[in-house]
Amino acid sequence: MIRTKILGLGSYVPDRVVTNEELAYLDDQHVRQETLQTETSDEWIQKRTGIRERRYVPNDGTWSTSDLALHAAKRALTDANIDASEIDCIIFGTLSPDMHFPGTAVILQKKLGIDKTGCACFDIRQQCSSFVYALQMADAFVRTGMYKRILLIGAELHSHSLDYTTRGRDVMVLFGDGAGAMLLGPVESEDPRDGVMYTSAHADGSGAMDLYLGLFDIAHRPYLFIDPKDRETNRGMYPQMDGKRVFLNAVRAMVMSTQAALANTGMSWDDIQWFVPHQANLRINEKVVEVAKIPPEKVLNTIQFYGNTTAATVPLTIDHWRREGKVKKGDRILSSVFGSGFTWGAAIFTI
Ligand code: ACO
């Protein structure tokens, strides 16, 4: 029987480390100023979110989301010992695409030098849940024999689209730049626990306006009706969030999808080495761990160092702890995610 195996993994974060202390002094170009720009503090951010620092790309106008993805993809290709020309499908998850259209997968395809191979390119828009949605797609494609070398990417460049003022502080402090990549392909196996064992993906569109960015509002004419310099109207350039509703729904959905993953596969925490939740907020993850009774020593987080990198968080976190020597080849992971939409899901897979 054909099952889907994870052939390689890679991630990338930019070099610039922005601490909570520095964040308060950044202007809208994220250049440090002498005077305070945002009323916030290291104490508030750490207490409410667990975040200590995040990474930002240089603000010289040369970096796009696809560049972050390219670095992560190259590392995953090296890890899998696969040449880029073998890729027959790219699935790219991001909420910060290089441009409105075309999708970022084709831009990455060109940067990988495989634009003439004709490989299929998908962009998916499930925000913080993109990894599980993409894994479900990849698993279905591989099992049916549709594609044999799938590059799954989650990448985000958030630092250029945040409101670096007290008005935007609830959202601005949360996000960082980064990318994660996985290569997936078929393996012949009769063991139902091999490779990608389980995926579930869900959505509830009634939560759409609890976390959104309304910049391209196609109902309006013109659909871009923002003066970027006008503080009255430029709110629409930045993500808007009802933090409390996101928090409550995230905990509920991540607990339920984690419990369902175990129930539907007949697995227990004895069968699973690591729990890798989406990295939105350390307090969300601590609550999920408490309510779902997950052994705390099995939980992997990276939000402290990278902030919320949205579609990238799960592969980035796995790769981070693999490089630290914690995660080993053959380990089984349960991942649970929640994001804007609302969207959520869970997956069990062997790395
Ligand atoms: N620094 C200092 N003060 C702040 C900041 C900040 N960065 N942000 C908000 N505040 C203030 C508020 O203005 C408010 O002040 P007030 O009492 O004078 O009105 C006070 O802090 C408390 O604000 P609340 O919104 O009640 O704070 P809360 O405890 O809900 O924490 C937070 C806010 C951290 C955003 C929380 O709601 C949360 O974690 N929500 C989950 C959202 C999330 O994780 N989103 C990630 C993206 S979505 C995803 O990845 C799934």
Side-chain angles (χ1 to χ4, degrees), residues 39-41 44-45 48-49 128 169-170 173-175 211 241 243-244 246-247 278 280-281 283-284 308 338-339:
E39 287 166 31
T40 188
S41 67
W44 192 97
I45 298 170
R48 307 286 177 124
T49 72
C128 304
R169 65 185 176 177
D170 58 331
V173 301
L174 300 174
F175 292 99
L211 179 53
M241 175 176 78
K244 285 191 170 49
V246 171
F247 193 103
H278 166 53
N281 182 318
R283 282 195 311 150
I284 291 178
N308 182 345
F338 179 85

Side-chain angles (χ1 to χ4, degrees), residues 315-334:
L316 175 57
T317 298
I318 299 169
D319 196 40
H320 173 94
W321 288 113
R322 187 178 68 149
R323 282 185 280 109
E324 292 292 315
K326 261 191 162 184
V327 175
K328 305 223 164 30
K329 205 165 180 51
D331 283 356
R332 189 172 290 118
I333 290 171
L334 193 161

